[in-house]
Amino acid sequence: MSAGTAPLVGLDDIRAAAARVEGLVVRTPLLPSPELTEACGAVEVRLKCENLQRAGAFKARGGINYVSQLADGEVANGVITYSSGNHAQAVALAAQLRGVRAVVVMPTTAPGVKVEGAKRLGAEVVFEGTTSLERMARAHAIAEAEGLTVIPPFDDARIIAGQGTVGLEIVDDWPEVDTVLVPIGGGGLGSGVAAALRRLRPDARVIGVEPVEGASMSAALAAGGPVTLEATRSIADGLLPVRSGDLTWRHMSELADGVVTVDDDAIRDAARFLLHRHRLVVEYSGAATVAALRSGAVEVAGCRVAAVLSGGNLDPALLAELT
């Protein structure tokens, strides 16, 4: 069954994923932000700190959920994925927990901190091109040649269900939440959170946030289906696939409440705010939701808002920009 025709992820799928990853991922805190609350005119803003997750990002949830379901024969030769960095580390972690080989195909422009993170978790790193399509093609070629199982980064129900455990935790910790902001790259996190929230809090809004020059999901929603962008560019390196997924587009179009965009200045300002005011190291991709709040890209007056900080793998060399 193709991603375009697969059923949407349900609440039972997400709860089953939560059971699989329990004890293997961090149940990350939902921290109040009084300063953001006041600035936005919200009832309250809380930060879902996936920057504190194992391997530094929410991707650990989907990676572990996927790899844990593979049969022994499927992992006999190992697994492979393609990623700008965080999913690479997630698959490396999942493979390490399973005791199997991991190969990750990363762009030539991948941040050093993410490359070293994947290697530290035992992955073999291969570099290919600068776009998601280039590294996907290389990963599939290696998989065919070496008998590896490909772990997709976002466009798969098992990945989406794993990422949906973020939404499950948000509602469990804060049943009154009425707005959830989620960074959007390929859309796996947004899809999973929307799938959870729509069933648990049907009146709550789920809004995705993309970089202005990396808005593949916005383009897909406008076109009525995934489209391939000519190029993407942003300091938010984890949010730059040139094409959204087929299944993730369906989740976002049917279950979410839209996507807004933010520019790089707003993203950098948000990362600086999180470092200075909350003492949180958040990579630029992970700070997109706070950028949307601080720039006014989304209206949240009178709302109870959870903003997902999706990752904390900030290149140490970039800390100078934030001081």
Side-chain angles (χ1 to χ4, degrees):
M1 183 180 296
S2 71
T5 59
L8 299 186
V9 168
L11 189 58
D12 287 346
D13 300 315
I14 298 171
R15 285 177 169 156
R20 290 187 196 98
V21 305
E22 185 177 7
L24 301 176
V25 302
V26 177
R27 186 186 178 96
T28 54
L30 193 60
L31 301 179
S33 177
E35 187 169 340
L36 270 178
T37 298
E38 182 178 356
C40 299
V43 173
E44 187 172 3
V45 175
R46 299 185 188 181
L47 306 172
K48 179 60 171 170
C49 296
E50 287 295 293
N51 58 305
L52 304 178
Q53 188 53 260
R54 291 191 71 176
F58 75 95
K59 292 281 192 176
R61 299 170 181 269
I64 292 172
N65 186 52
Y66 193 111
V67 173
S68 68
Q69 294 180 72
L70 295 175
D72 289 344
E74 293 177 284
V75 298
N77 294 328
V79 296
I80 187 169
T81 195
Y82 46 98
S83 165
S84 62
N86 285 340
H87 182 65
Q89 293 176 89
V91 171
L93 171 62
Q96 184 185 76
L97 292 170
R98 188 75 187 264
V100 300
R101 178 190 180 202
V103 180
V104 299
V105 181
M106 303 177 74
T108 56
T109 54
V113 66
K114 296 182 179 181
V115 174
E116 291 307 313
K119 289 180 178 179
R120 187 169 57 251
L121 289 164
E124 302 164 33
V125 178
V126 176
F127 296 101
E128 181 66 35
T130 59
T131 72
S132 52
L133 295 181
E134 288 172 317
R135 54 186 177 267
M136 178 177 69
R138 181 70 181 279
H140 280 279
I142 295 172
E144 184 175 355
E146 301 185 20
L148 306 176
T149 295
V150 178
I151 313 299
F154 50 80
D155 205 29
D156 181 273
R158 286 168 286 189
I159 296 293
I160 291 171
Q163 320 308 25
T165 61
V166 172
L168 210 62
E169 291 178 10
I170 289 173
V171 175
D172 190 40
D173 291 344
W174 196 15
E176 300 81 14
V177 66
D178 57 42
T179 302
V180 181
L181 304 183
V182 187
I184 298 288
L189 177 61
S191 295
V193 170
L197 266 290
R198 197 55 61 220
R199 282 56 176 252
L200 294 169
R201 288 280 292 159
D203 295 330
R205 294 185 298 164
V206 177
I207 299 173
V209 185
E210 290 183 303
V212 169
E213 295 188 75
S216 58
M217 186 62 75
S218 295
L221 293 174
V227 297
T228 301
L229 303 180
E230 289 187 9
T232 56
R233 182 177 63 183
S234 173
I235 61 173
D237 63 277
L239 306 181
L240 296 179
V242 293
R243 187 184 188 278
S244 70
D246 295 294
L247 186 57
T248 57
W249 164 73
R250 287 180 50 221
H251 279 78
M252 291 300 293
S253 61
E254 295 183 34
L255 302 178
D257 298 278
V259 177
V260 300
T261 59
V262 290
D263 62 29
D264 280 2
D265 287 342
I267 292 171
R268 187 179 290 105
D269 173 74
R272 182 179 293 113
F273 166 83
L274 289 165
L275 179 63
H276 287 220
R277 295 288 186 265
H278 287 279
R279 301 297 185 261
L280 292 172
V281 175
V282 180
E283 65 186 90
Y284 289 141
S285 301
T289 53
V290 173
L293 290 172
R294 287 175 60 81
S295 68
V298 59
E299 176 57 57
V300 295
C303 297
R304 294 173 174 83
V305 184
V308 180
L309 310 180
S310 57
N313 290 310
L314 181 70
D315 194 320
L318 295 177
L319 281 173
E321 294 185 3
L322 304 180
T323 57

